[in-house]
Amino acid sequence: MNSWTGPASRERTERKDTVLSIDEHWYKNAVFYELHVKAFYDGNDDGIGDFRGLREKLDYLQWLGVDCLWLLPFFPSPLRDDGYDVSDYFGVYPDYGSLEDVRVFLDDAHRRGIRVIADLVLNHTSDQHPWFQEARRSPHSPRRHYYVWSDTDQKYSRARIIFIDTEKSNWTWDPEAQAYYWHRFFSHQPDLNYENPEVRRTMLDVMTYWLDLGLDGFRCDAVPYLFEREGTICENLPETHAYLKEIRRYLDERYCGRILLAEANQWPADVRPYFGDGDEFHMAFHFPLMPRLFMSVRSEDRQPIIDMFTHTPPIPENCQWCLFLRNHDELTLEMCTGEERDYMYYAYARDPQARRNIGIARRLAPLLENDRRKLELLNSLVFTLPGSPIVYYGDEIGMGDNIHLGDRNGVRTPMQWTGDRNAGFSKADPAKLYLPVIADPVYGYQAINVESQIQTPHSLLNWMRQLIRIRKARPVFGRGTMEFLPHANEKVLVHVRAYRGETVLLVHNLAGSAQPVELDLSQFRGSTPIELFGESRFPPIGDRPYVLSVGPYGYYWFLLRSKDGEDNLYGIERTAI
């Protein structure tokens, strides 16, 4: 069954019986990996990725070192919104496999120590869902109250329109129902009515079904919009939080080690309530940080990053942010000012075809002009700032995109495994692939693929594997406190993480030229900085300012070893002894 070929087959065999960690806060140290089942690997040669294919690539994911997979929606759907328009919450889209395929895949992932969470679309269904089809037929149908209806399109007028490039209103007239129905997203995605207790119970049943099958949790889509109330913007309402606390309480009473991840594209102060008192979501995305990382590198200025953390409130001890550079959607600029948005468009999306809704539809490598130094720098930031990092499939090898495919398909093309036909993704006729593979001279699969990078010691893929390994070896990155260190050079960001007696010093040069930095490290006097990538010992810290020179887009990860700390052996000494 195993089609993945790479180094260390002995290592893969030895890891087959890996068991899941019993740490209930495992997600704080975890590295997440986001993928679409249809995009990863085709196991039955029909041109579409499936659970059988995903099983065959679990060895690769284990070798890479990821702890948890986040799967995009795989439920039955008309696919007008790539699965976010669900037509059956209790099934699997036939092209991806069967429920048994999912169960076997989950068992295999767990044996390798890999957890799996899945997208759960709470806010809306497809208009093809049997619930909606029944609801529209009669005002007396029990399903009628599963959705939000009105005789006028003037209700909830303060609510913003999210997809401003495609939708003119949050209401759509249904000629069969002879009424308007409410939708916060596309008009073919009617919102569920959470005022209805039966809807609330049904969604708990959906969760139970998949958790019992073996899922380790859910990335809950579009949670700020579950409830509506006249006179409000219909976002972040108390009723929404009350229901989300009910979900969390329900899960905690019945399951151990399962998590809820909130998709709430809001300002940090508005996301903070989704953690509750540690009794709502375990995790939430830090959406506004993402564009500020790109801004800081482009402007060679640390201030956008520092400002964002200044506006990020503390969260409960058992909660965690999720940090990312790219995902399956556009690089959203929704939480940017008009001036910031214009700057990002000018810097990263001068081609109008690269723009989607309020954002930029590019993958990470094209955004950074395929500059390896910038790729490393931004990943280093995401892996060292407070939170758990998410890697989007293919970004670990620097995959490109195809902005001419329309919508968000340009960043959802097949994973590039080899330089063979169809990038090794499928043996099907190329015309049958769900989307064409990337074939341009720079990012095409002949140049960018897993097989070639595995065999190249200093490839981006092998560097990403090392990055993941180093982070996972140090709990301080997932659980430590953080402090920005002040100094004179605005082009260099310096922060300190500390946890249970372990301290790391992180230095990032945001500029394309070498930069000096003088640091007051007197609080760490007597400690020796050990650079974690090269395992090199730097001069001990004394009373005088500590001076460093950082190369263009360079970075240092220093473990600060105190005088009386354990004198570990490094490099060849460890191997020889």
Side-chain angles (χ1 to χ4, degrees):
M1 181 190 74
N2 181 14
S3 70
W4 179 69
T5 56
S9 59
R10 176 178 58 82
E11 176 188 34
R12 299 201 308 275
T13 301
E14 290 171 351
R15 289 181 170 183
K16 289 291 185 182
D17 296 326
T18 302
V19 294
L20 296 178
S21 164
I22 58 173
D23 178 9
E24 65 175 326
H25 298 146
W26 60 268
Y27 49 90
K28 301 197 75 169
N29 282 23
V31 175
F32 289 75
Y33 187 93
E34 179 194 0
L35 64 89
H36 204 323
V37 174
K38 76 174 183 182
F40 209 59
Y41 187 65
D42 177 10
N44 63 357
D45 302 329
D46 65 352
I48 302 169
D50 45 45
F51 278 100
R52 177 181 166 185
L54 184 51
R55 280 180 64 205
E56 294 185 36
K57 295 301 184 182
L58 282 172
D59 281 340
Y60 165 74
L61 294 165
Q62 183 182 8
W63 172 84
L64 184 59
V66 298
D67 301 285
C68 184
L69 305 181
W70 158 25
L71 305 184
L72 297 182
F74 54 80
F75 311 106
S77 165
L79 298 185
R80 294 186 64 187
D81 188 20
D82 209 13
Y84 284 92
D85 47 336
V86 178
S87 59
D88 178 7
Y89 284 102
F90 297 95
V92 179
Y93 189 75
D95 288 343
Y96 305 159
S98 65
L99 282 171
E100 178 62 13
D101 290 329
V102 176
R103 187 192 62 76
V104 174
F105 156 72
L106 291 172
D107 287 346
D108 279 4
H110 291 160
R111 273 194 291 272
R112 289 168 171 81
I114 299 174
R115 288 178 165 87
V116 183
I117 65 172
D119 251 303
L120 182 62
V121 186
L122 288 170
N123 182 70
H124 51 264
T125 71
S126 165
D127 60 6
Q128 301 304 304
H129 197 295
W131 298 344
F132 188 75
Q133 290 300 309
E134 183 179 332
R136 72 197 309 193
R137 282 195 286 268
S138 169
H140 307 295
S141 165
R143 302 293 190 195
R144 185 75 162 200
H145 300 294
Y146 268 47
Y147 298 91
V148 181
W149 300 91
S150 173
D151 294 330
T152 172
D153 61 357
Q154 299 304 305
K155 290 181 67 177
Y156 313 137
S157 58
R158 291 186 58 194
R160 65 192 172 105
I161 298 170
I162 295 170
F163 289 159
I164 60 172
D165 57 344
T166 57
E167 302 297 330
K168 304 304 179 188
S169 171
N170 288 321
W171 292 101
T172 291
W173 176 257
D174 184 70
E176 185 171 352
Q178 289 293 295
Y180 291 95
Y181 63 86
W182 176 254
H183 55 88
R184 290 309 301 269
F185 295 92
F186 292 118
S187 58
H188 58 80
Q189 294 169 327
D191 274 28
L192 288 165
N193 175 22
Y194 278 90
E195 294 287 352
N196 183 347
E198 191 171 339
V199 169
R200 300 198 295 271
R201 285 193 299 268
T202 299
M203 298 314 289
L204 287 175
D205 290 343
V206 170
M207 291 185 168
T208 300
Y209 180 82
W210 291 105
L211 293 171
D212 287 348
L213 196 71
L215 274 182
D216 296 289
F218 303 98
R219 178 264 197 188
C220 297
D221 185 65
V223 292
Y225 316 108
L226 300 187
F227 285 79
E228 300 78 35
R229 193 184 342 131
E230 195 62 74
T232 73
I233 62 171
C234 299
E235 297 179 26
N236 309 319
L237 296 180
E239 300 94 311
T240 295
H241 289 288
Y243 178 58
L244 294 172
K245 287 180 186 292
E246 181 184 337
I247 290 176
R248 173 65 181 273
R249 186 165 55 249
Y250 181 88
L251 263 63
D252 285 350
E253 289 172 355
R254 290 163 177 80
Y255 304 97
C256 180
R258 314 297 177 93
I259 65 165
L260 297 172
L261 167 58
E263 191 229 10
N265 187 1
Q266 309 274 321
W267 199 249
D270 294 323
V271 176
R272 171 60 184 85
Y274 287 94
F275 294 114
D277 296 318
D279 59 352
E280 204 161 315
F281 281 93
H282 302 79
M283 309 184 81
F285 295 108
H286 201 313
F287 276 99
L289 175 63
M290 176 177 57
R292 271 77 187 185
L293 294 172
F294 288 93
M295 285 180 206
S296 283
V297 171
R298 186 70 180 202
S299 63
E300 301 187 350
D301 185 354
R302 69 191 182 198
Q303 209 55 49
I305 297 174
I306 293 176
D307 283 349
M308 184 46 56
F309 278 97
T310 301
H311 290 95
T312 299
I315 61 176
E317 181 65 27
N318 64 333
C319 295
Q320 181 77 309
W321 291 105
C322 262
L323 309 185
F324 62 104
L325 294 169
R326 290 300 298 110
N327 62 17
H328 61 287
D329 285 331
E330 68 273 10
L331 191 165
T332 179
L333 305 177
E334 199 171 347
M335 292 297 116
C336 294
T337 65
E339 184 179 357
E340 289 172 330
R341 196 173 300 143
D342 290 342
Y343 179 80
M344 286 291 290
Y345 281 142
Y346 176 79
Y348 293 104
R350 295 189 192 184
D351 184 344
Q353 291 193 76
R355 304 178 186 183
R356 296 288 185 278
N357 196 30
I358 308 176
I360 302 171
R362 302 303 306 268
R363 266 189 177 268
L364 181 61
L367 277 168
L368 300 177
E369 299 170 315
N370 210 26
D371 188 326
R372 171 70 180 269
R373 301 169 305 171
K374 293 180 183 177
L375 286 166
E376 290 191 14
L377 175 66
L378 279 167
N379 274 295
S380 176
L381 284 166
V382 165
F383 272 67
T384 59
L385 290 168
S388 294
I390 297 177
V391 178
Y392 185 49
Y393 85 95
D395 279 354
E396 74 272 23
I397 60 172
M399 266 180 64
D401 52 40
N402 184 349
I403 60 175
H404 303 289
L405 289 177
D407 196 22
R408 297 146 170 173
N409 288 332
V411 299
R412 302 178 185 183
T413 56
M415 179 67 174
Q416 294 168 197
W417 294 104
T418 72
D420 298 332
R421 189 178 75 162
N422 297 332
F425 164 77
S426 174
K427 295 177 183 176
D429 185 311
K432 292 183 178 180
L433 298 188
Y434 75 94
L435 284 175
V437 296
I438 302 297
D440 66 66
V442 177
Y443 301 102
Y445 62 89
Q446 297 94 338
I448 305 293
N449 63 72
V450 170
E451 183 180 60
S452 65
Q453 291 200 21
I454 280 177
Q455 298 173 30
T456 307
H458 298 290
S459 67
L460 179 61
L461 174 59
N462 277 306
W463 179 84
M464 285 292 294
R465 186 187 185 218
Q466 183 186 24
L467 185 77
I468 291 169
R469 177 183 60 79
I470 294 173
R471 186 189 189 279
K472 288 173 62 176
R474 302 285 174 185
V476 64
F477 290 114
R479 302 175 186 241
T481 59
M482 187 195 67
E483 176 189 2
F484 290 112
L485 289 190
H487 59 88
N489 191 338
E490 293 288 332
K491 297 177 184 291
V492 181
L493 179 76
V494 182
H495 60 290
V496 173
R497 307 289 308 277
Y499 179 70
R500 293 187 176 178
E502 185 168 82
T503 303
V504 287
L505 171 71
L506 297 315
V507 182
H508 291 88
N509 178 11
L510 305 171
S513 55
Q515 295 293 320
V517 60
E518 272 191 19
L519 300 174
D520 178 4
L521 300 180
S522 55
Q523 60 181 311
F524 308 114
R525 184 184 299 107
S527 296
T528 299
I530 300 169
E531 204 283 315
L532 291 174
F533 280 84
E535 297 180 338
S536 304
R537 295 175 184 269
F538 275 53
I541 298 168
D543 293 318
R544 303 183 66 174
Y546 202 84
V547 180
L548 290 168
S549 176
V550 197
Y553 304 119
Y555 52 89
Y556 289 120
W557 292 20
F558 290 120
L559 173 67
L560 299 185
R561 177 74 69 194
S562 62
K563 273 185 181 177
D564 54 353
E566 180 186 350
D567 192 17
N568 284 354
L569 297 174
Y570 288 85
I572 194 170
E573 296 176 67
R574 183 199 297 123
T575 307
I577 295 176

